[in-house]
Structures are given as C-alpha cells and as structure tokens.
Amino acid sequence: MPNMLTLALVVPCYNEEEIFPQTAVKLAQKIRALQSARLVSKKSKVVFVDDGSQDKTWELIAEQHRRCPQIFSGIKLSKNRGHQNALLCGLLTVKDSCDAVISIDADMQDDITVIDGMVRQFLAGCEIVYGVRNNRQTDGLFKKITAQAFYKLMSLLGVQTIYNHADFRLMGRRALDALAEYGEVNLFLRGIIPLLGYKTGVEYYTRAKRLAGTSKYPFYKMLNFALEGITSLSIKPIRLITLLGILLLLVSLAMIVWSIYRYFSGHTIVGWASLAVSLWAIGGLIIFSIGVIGEYIGKIYLETKQRPRYIIEKLLNK
C-alpha cells in the first residue's frame, strides 16, 4: 500500500456540537470504506478545523482524536476567522502530508458517496474535482431564487465560478501548492480555485437536508459573502459606475440643450418637482458610488496590513 493515494478530509466546524457525533461516525466509515476498496492508504485521515466555536465542538474533536488518532486530527484556531479562512487553514496545514484533500462542511448535507468518484477522477488525471448539486429541491423558494441570482450576478460581473458548487471539492497537491501562492486576505475560494487552471472534473450529487443544528449562513451572512466575492475578484462595479457617470453626463448635456431651446422659444421653464427629484437621484447615485469605491479602498487597506489570515492555537495530530 505504500504507493496508494493518501487522502485528507478537511472539515471546518463552527458550533457543530449537535451534529458533530454523527458527522464523525459517517466520515470515519467513509475513510475505512475507501481503505477497504484500496482507493486510499491507511494514512488517510479526517481533519476537523474548529473556527473558534463557543460550544463543546473542540472538546468533541479532541475526544475523537484520543479515541482514534490514526483517523481523526484537529486544528483549533485562536478565534473565529470565518468559514473561508478556517477552510484555507485546513487545506494549507495538511497539503504536505497527503496527495489530495477533500473539503466538506460538517452539516453532512453534501453526499459523501460521491467521494469515491472524486478519488477515481483524481487518479485518472484530474487535479481538481468539484462536487456540484444537480438540483435545489431541498431549498426554500427564497433561497433558491437568491442562490440562482447570486451565480448569475457573479457571472455577469466577470467572476468565474462553478454553478451550484459550494466548497465540496477535491484538490491535489499541485493545486494546493498553487493556492498557497494566493496571499490575499479577502478570501472567496469559490472564485479563486477556478483561476488555478489544471484539469478539472465534476461529480454531481443531491444535497440532503441538515440532520441537526442550524445553518451558519443566515441571509445577512450570505449577502455579505456575495459582496465579498464580487469585490474580491471583479472591478466591474467600478467600471459600471464610470459608464453610469458618462451616461448621466450625456443626459445632462441633452437637458442643457433642451433648456436653452425652451428658453428661446418663449416657454417658461417650470420644474421645481423635477429639479428636486433630480437632486435626490444624483445625490443617491453619488453616495452609492462612494460606497462601492469605499468597499474596494477598504479591501486595499486590509490587504496592505498583511495580517495573518488565521492563527492556530492547538494542533492534534498522530
């Protein structure tokens, strides 16, 4: 078995006390099944990344490591750094000790049965294999509409993403080494990873309902996540503001010509209402434009600080 693939499953966790026992059992069973099928080596493991949880998530991770250190490892961040930073921490921490990494959320909504197909595609030459939902039947109407709008908006603004793909994916060591070269603080992995290149594959699956606990991504977090993705990977919003400014300039020139014509034709220009509306519209546009530009300036400010994206407090490894 020395030449077999060594696989790591990286699982970011934040307040997953309710569902963690089920997650640990299912992932351990999957690792053992892959080993029995001789798809992965005995060194393959599950790595939980505790993103500053406020419940007993870390204690449960430590307990699983104590019981079965050959399968379970744990990483504890010093504070909550967000899902993307926790995921990146897990990927970069294990990349030198394995041949491939599969990232998966702790809620077990992603179908782990397709992991076999991911591994086979990697062994066949794919460096990155995306887990992609084949439908959104488990989503409510509002979530379905907003999710579809998110992907379409990202595409419209020039951000390359995989439709209906979240963070369930396999990455080989070459892809992980390439990812490590990206040093930005403002992370949007769904947009960064397609930029890496390499040969890719897709495994389609049906997303299940959450077994326990609650979603860690309410609407306001999803909205912030979408804004993060757009402003981290696209400058089209600034270009759209420029085009809008040019359009308003042309409109204002046309209004000047029209006003001069009305003046010399003897008509009284009456229009306090239209003037007030114009002032409100232009004022709102200016504030909106400043806000968009300020969002980019804020990101530049954070990037220039070069602060660490995460700090590891504890590491449990065999």
Side-chain angles (χ1 to χ4, degrees):
M1 300 181 67
N3 295 323
M4 277 192 179
L5 167 72
T6 299
L7 177 71
L9 303 182
V10 170
V11 190
C13 301
Y14 178 67
N15 292 344
E16 303 290 356
E17 179 182 356
E18 290 183 62
I19 199 172
F20 183 85
Q22 300 175 63
T23 300
V25 169
K26 288 179 177 293
L27 293 181
Q29 290 174 345
K30 172 50 65 176
I31 286 290
R32 292 189 177 103
L34 291 169
Q35 291 171 344
S36 298
R38 301 182 66 81
L39 284 175
V40 302
S41 73
K42 293 294 184 182
K43 295 181 180 179
S44 299
K45 57 189 175 181
V46 179
V47 182
F48 293 107
V49 184
D50 179 30
D51 185 22
S53 296
Q54 303 300 310
D55 60 6
K56 296 181 179 179
T57 298
W58 177 249
E59 287 79 358
L60 293 173
I61 292 172
E63 178 64 17
Q64 289 293 339
H65 172 71
R66 186 188 66 79
R67 290 181 178 179
C68 190
Q70 66 272 23
I71 287 185
F72 294 110
S73 295
I75 301 170
K76 179 177 174 57
L77 301 188
S78 60
K79 67 183 297 290
N80 178 252
R81 297 296 300 169
H83 178 272
Q84 297 290 280
N85 283 301
L87 177 54
L88 182 72
C89 171
L91 295 176
L92 299 188
T93 301
V94 305
K95 73 180 182 70
D96 293 326
S97 62
C98 59
D99 302 306
V101 176
I102 292 179
S103 56
I104 185 170
D105 289 339
D107 55 21
M108 287 290 97
Q109 289 185 270
D110 297 321
D111 186 3
I112 62 175
T113 63
V114 302
I115 289 178
D116 303 60
M118 288 180 166
V119 171
R120 289 189 175 93
Q121 288 206 49
F122 175 74
L123 294 174
C126 291
E127 189 66 22
I128 302 171
V129 184
Y130 298 104
V132 177
R133 297 175 63 170
N134 54 20
N135 63 68
R136 286 192 168 270
Q137 294 178 357
T138 57
D139 290 345
L141 180 62
F142 179 76
K143 179 65 179 295
K144 187 182 299 184
I145 292 173
T146 54
Q148 291 175 344
F150 166 75
Y151 286 108
K152 290 178 180 178
L153 179 62
M154 296 294 280
S155 177
L156 182 66
L157 294 177
V159 180
Q160 183 183 353
T161 57
I162 307 299
Y163 187 70
N164 274 345
H165 164 71
D167 288 298
F168 182 32
R169 68 179 76 86
L170 178 148
M171 299 180 68
R173 188 179 295 180
R174 286 193 302 163
L176 292 169
D177 286 338
L179 178 62
E181 297 295 322
Y182 285 73
E184 57 248 53
V185 173
N186 303 286
L187 281 177
F188 185 69
L189 294 176
R190 299 182 198 182
I192 292 176
I193 290 172
L195 299 177
L196 301 180
Y198 297 116
K199 184 179 179 181
T200 63
V202 173
E203 283 288 328
Y204 293 97
Y205 69 98
T206 300
R207 189 170 172 84
K209 292 184 178 180
R210 189 180 179 95
L211 296 177
T214 58
S215 172
K216 305 306 183 294
Y217 267 91
F219 176 71
Y220 77 93
K221 279 194 174 182
M222 290 297 297
L223 190 62
N224 184 66
F225 187 59
L227 183 63
E228 183 78 23
I230 292 169
T231 54
S232 296
L233 293 165
S234 174
I235 61 170
K236 278 196 174 182
I238 293 181
R239 290 178 178 173
L240 289 174
I241 289 174
T242 303
L243 293 175
L244 187 58
I246 294 172
L247 177 62
L248 286 176
L249 176 61
L250 294 176
V251 171
S252 64
L253 290 174
M255 288 296 294
I256 290 172
V257 173
W258 180 78
S259 299
I260 293 173
Y261 167 76
R262 295 277 292 178
Y263 176 79
F264 284 107
S265 63
H267 295 88
T268 303
I269 299 177
V270 183
W272 67 269
S274 60
L275 180 62
V277 170
S278 299
L279 287 173
W280 278 100
I282 293 172
L285 176 63
I286 291 173
I287 294 173
F288 172 75
S289 302
I290 291 173
V292 173
I293 295 170
E295 190 72 29
Y296 283 92
I297 293 174
K299 281 184 165 46
I300 295 171
Y301 172 70
L302 292 175
E303 294 290 346
T304 55
K305 286 175 174 290
Q306 296 184 340
R307 289 178 176 175
R309 291 171 290 192
Y310 54 81
I311 297 174
I312 296 176
E313 180 179 338
K314 294 180 181 178
L315 180 64
L316 302 177
N317 197 26
K318 182 179 177 182

